[in-house]
Amino acid sequence: MMTRRGVQWISCASDDPDECREYWAVDPRRPCALPAGRFFDVVVVGQRVGLETFDQLQRHGMPLGPVMADRASEQVGFFVPTWARDPFDRMVRQESAAEAPEYRYLGEGSVVVVPGPMPLTGDRYIWLRAPMRRPEASPSRIAALAAMFVAASYVVARADRYGREQTAASAEGEATHAG
């Protein structure tokens, strides 16, 4: 659940912050489209990688800003400072052994649909970590996100490969025993 200070901060991104807060006062579950690039940008990744990234950041006590999920599109969005595009891109490339994992960066000119202050568990848009106040705009937060995002991408890719290898090995074993 979002705090009052969190609502104040994120609603300021709206063209009309007062109207946005009134909108949420009527229905705190209702998502709202807000422009990126004013008070925040958003790094959008696939749900599996995003949930693993979020889990690793939390588990290791690393700096973390607001994080949301869109269940229907199976994506997770990490809110970052508006200046983070170049440092994040650079850090992801540096952390990647080969090709950098895929993500979208929503900055100025983009719009993001954010959950309301009090979404329910079954809602399409939910907060994994709701804004409590204006997030700290530290370079360490961007470095932690880049490092864990790349690591989570490799973990998920390896788990997928392992699953395919085990399925193939099982099928091969069954064919050998059947013959």
Side-chain angles (χ1 to χ4, degrees), residues 6-153:
V7 171
Q8 289 291 103
W9 171 73
I10 202 158
S11 65
C12 283
S14 170
D15 290 332
D16 187 341
D18 291 331
E19 183 179 308
C20 182
R21 287 188 286 274
E22 288 174 22
Y23 179 82
W24 280 334
V26 171
D27 185 357
R29 289 181 57 198
R30 197 167 179 188
C32 185
L34 296 176
R38 288 185 187 165
F39 288 86
F40 57 81
D41 287 351
V42 181
V43 174
V44 180
V45 302
Q47 183 172 293
R48 289 179 60 215
V49 171
L51 293 175
E52 182 66 28
T53 302
F54 175 72
D55 184 54
Q56 291 296 329
L57 287 165
Q58 278 200 301
R59 206 173 330 159
H60 294 290
M62 297 177 138
L64 180 63
V67 182
M68 60 163 279
D70 176 348
R71 291 198 172 134
S73 69
E74 297 183 346
Q75 296 180 341
V76 173
F78 294 86
F79 286 65
V80 296
T82 55
W83 51 262
R85 180 188 298 265
D86 291 338
F88 184 77
D89 288 344
R90 185 177 59 256
M91 289 177 207
V92 166
R93 283 192 311 274
Q94 287 171 348
E95 290 289 327
S96 302
E99 189 175 318
E102 289 186 28
Y103 64 92
R104 285 186 310 131
Y105 192 98
L106 303 178
E108 190 172 347
S110 299
V111 174
V112 62
V113 177
V114 301
M118 293 189 296
L120 296 179
T121 305
D123 289 348
R124 174 180 176 168
Y125 301 98
I126 60 166
W127 290 108
L128 299 178
R129 185 171 193 269
M132 298 297 152
R133 62 189 184 303
R134 182 184 183 138
E136 184 181 326
S138 73
S140 63
R141 195 170 115 215
I142 304 311
L145 176 58
M148 286 300 119
F149 164 60
V150 171
S153 297

